[in-house]
Amino acid sequence: MDTYDVAVVGGGPAGLAAAMYARMRGLSAAVFEAETFGGQLVNLYPTKPVDNFPAQEEVLSRDLASQLAQQARGFGAELVEREPVDYVGREDGGFRLRTAAREFEARAVVLALGLGKFVPRRLNLEGEAAYHGRGLSYRLPPVDQIDAKRVVVVGGGDSAVDIALSLVTKAEVTLVVRRQELRACGLACSRLDPAGVRVLRGAEIVGLHGEGRLEAVDVSLPEGSCERLQTDLLVAAVGQVPDLSGVAGWDLDVGKGPIQVSSAMETAMPGVFAVGDCARYPGKVKMIATAVAEGTTAAASVQRYLKEQVARVAS
């Protein structure tokens, strides 16, 4: 049976960074990803331009994910794609992990589960399900496959603003924001007006229309009026609902939902660390750079934990 110093469950930026830096510290490491390496960068927004990652002027999400995976592999981490981990449990001072194809052991575990199954928040509108895939999307479609001339984006966070900016060269874009203030980073927000994105603040989508395919949306405006916008594509970027229910069947005492961690990325269970979107701590900032930093910290914490384990046995 294969044994690793650390097994990383989840192959987003945080998990890949944890594996890479673990290898830098001389630890054997394997990363198991249920889908494609890169997490949300690939599975949600593959063609979204990323311009806020250090030393990268601008790069597509999928390309950044590929670079992170190649770098981790180059340092000697074992990367296993499309093989979800079904079970993790404590055994003989270490951990036993199981996938559909194998069982293996690890001296420590890093959970980089992201948002789990990527369940998008819905708009809760009549007919919404019928338009899904027919003019309504909850993620950015491949930009090179979009032929829409009029696009409406819903949301005021970083993803919504980035999507609006990435589509403005292809279509007439309207951004519908429920609040008066956008939650996205100030620099990105400052680009909306010069780029020609129309921003409706204090507004909300209240109706969907179209015969077989979405053709228009009704938008309620703050003064009480309602405007009908013709659209070829509606992108609802109002967040993802974390779904970590699969962890409930594992033999790990890490709580439910986002996992509370220390500044060293330690969970309440010795030998188990958590990084990325599945981890929470006061002051957390959700950025790709932050996820990489958390993976780096987790690798250092794993090495310290393993050294302490060896010292404890020796004494």
Side-chain angles (χ1 to χ4, degrees):
M1 181 181 296
D2 292 331
T3 301
Y4 304 96
D5 289 323
V6 57
V8 182
V9 185
L16 291 169
M20 185 185 81
Y21 283 97
R23 287 296 302 135
M24 286 181 61
R25 293 174 176 275
L27 305 177
S28 59
V31 189
F32 290 82
E33 166 59 39
E35 297 185 64
T36 304
F37 279 111
Q40 294 183 53
L41 297 183
V42 172
N43 299 312
L44 284 183
Y45 309 113
T47 57
K48 185 176 79 172
V50 176
D51 60 4
N52 57 8
F53 192 78
Q56 293 279 1
E57 184 173 348
E58 183 174 285
V59 60
L60 294 183
S61 291
R62 65 189 179 196
D63 295 337
L64 178 58
S66 177
Q67 292 171 20
L68 291 170
Q70 289 175 9
Q71 193 172 23
R73 190 178 287 111
F75 274 90
E78 181 180 339
L79 271 57
V80 184
E81 197 171 55
R82 299 191 182 283
E83 190 171 324
V85 172
D86 298 325
Y87 173 79
V88 183
R90 172 75 76 177
E91 185 171 299
D92 297 331
F95 300 89
R96 180 181 292 269
L97 296 88
R98 184 176 64 243
T99 72
R102 72 185 84 181
E103 286 192 1
F104 56 97
E105 296 177 342
R107 299 170 63 201
V109 173
V110 174
L111 301 177
L113 304 169
L115 296 174
K117 297 178 182 177
F118 302 122
V119 181
R121 285 192 174 91
R122 310 293 178 176
L123 299 175
N124 296 321
L125 296 174
E126 184 178 351
E128 181 173 353
Y131 290 120
H132 185 202
R134 297 179 175 85
L136 168 62
S137 178
Y138 299 98
R139 61 181 66 182
L140 176 64
V143 174
D144 54 0
Q145 298 178 16
I146 295 176
D147 59 2
K149 300 301 181 183
R150 296 162 299 185
V151 176
V152 176
V153 181
V154 185
D158 290 307
S159 292
V161 171
D162 288 345
I163 289 171
L165 291 171
S166 68
L167 294 178
V168 75
T169 59
K170 298 178 65 69
E172 176 185 303
V173 180
T174 301
L175 180 65
V176 178
V177 186
R178 177 177 292 185
R179 302 177 183 179
Q180 288 295 331
E181 297 298 324
L182 280 71
R183 293 178 288 105
C185 293
L187 180 60
C189 293
S190 69
R191 295 173 176 167
L192 291 169
D193 186 59
V197 176
R198 182 190 182 196
V199 181
L200 299 179
R201 300 171 185 264
E204 187 175 357
I205 303 290
V206 294
L208 307 174
H209 304 279
E211 294 296 329
R213 181 177 177 83
L214 185 66
E215 299 173 356
V217 298
D218 289 334
V219 182
S220 66
L221 301 175
E223 66 272 16
S225 63
C226 188
E227 180 178 350
R228 179 163 294 185
L229 301 177
Q230 301 299 313
T231 185
D232 306 306
L233 174 64
L234 172 64
V235 182
V238 291
Q240 305 289 323
V241 180
D243 182 3
L244 301 174
S245 57
V247 180
W250 297 358
D251 185 20
L252 295 180
D253 185 16
V254 293
K256 298 179 179 179
I259 302 166
Q260 183 70 46
V261 297
S262 69
S263 59
M265 302 296 114
E266 302 161 316
T267 72
M269 189 170 190
V272 180
F273 306 82
V275 295
D277 283 339
C278 75
R280 63 183 174 93
Y281 53 85
K284 182 183 178 78
V285 178
K286 291 187 176 182
M287 301 283 286
I288 302 172
T290 308
V292 171
E294 291 175 5
T296 306
T297 299
S301 298
V302 167
Q303 183 183 46
R304 182 170 57 252
Y305 167 77
L306 295 180
K307 285 183 177 179
E308 291 172 352
Q309 290 293 96
V310 172
R312 189 174 296 112
V313 172
S315 63

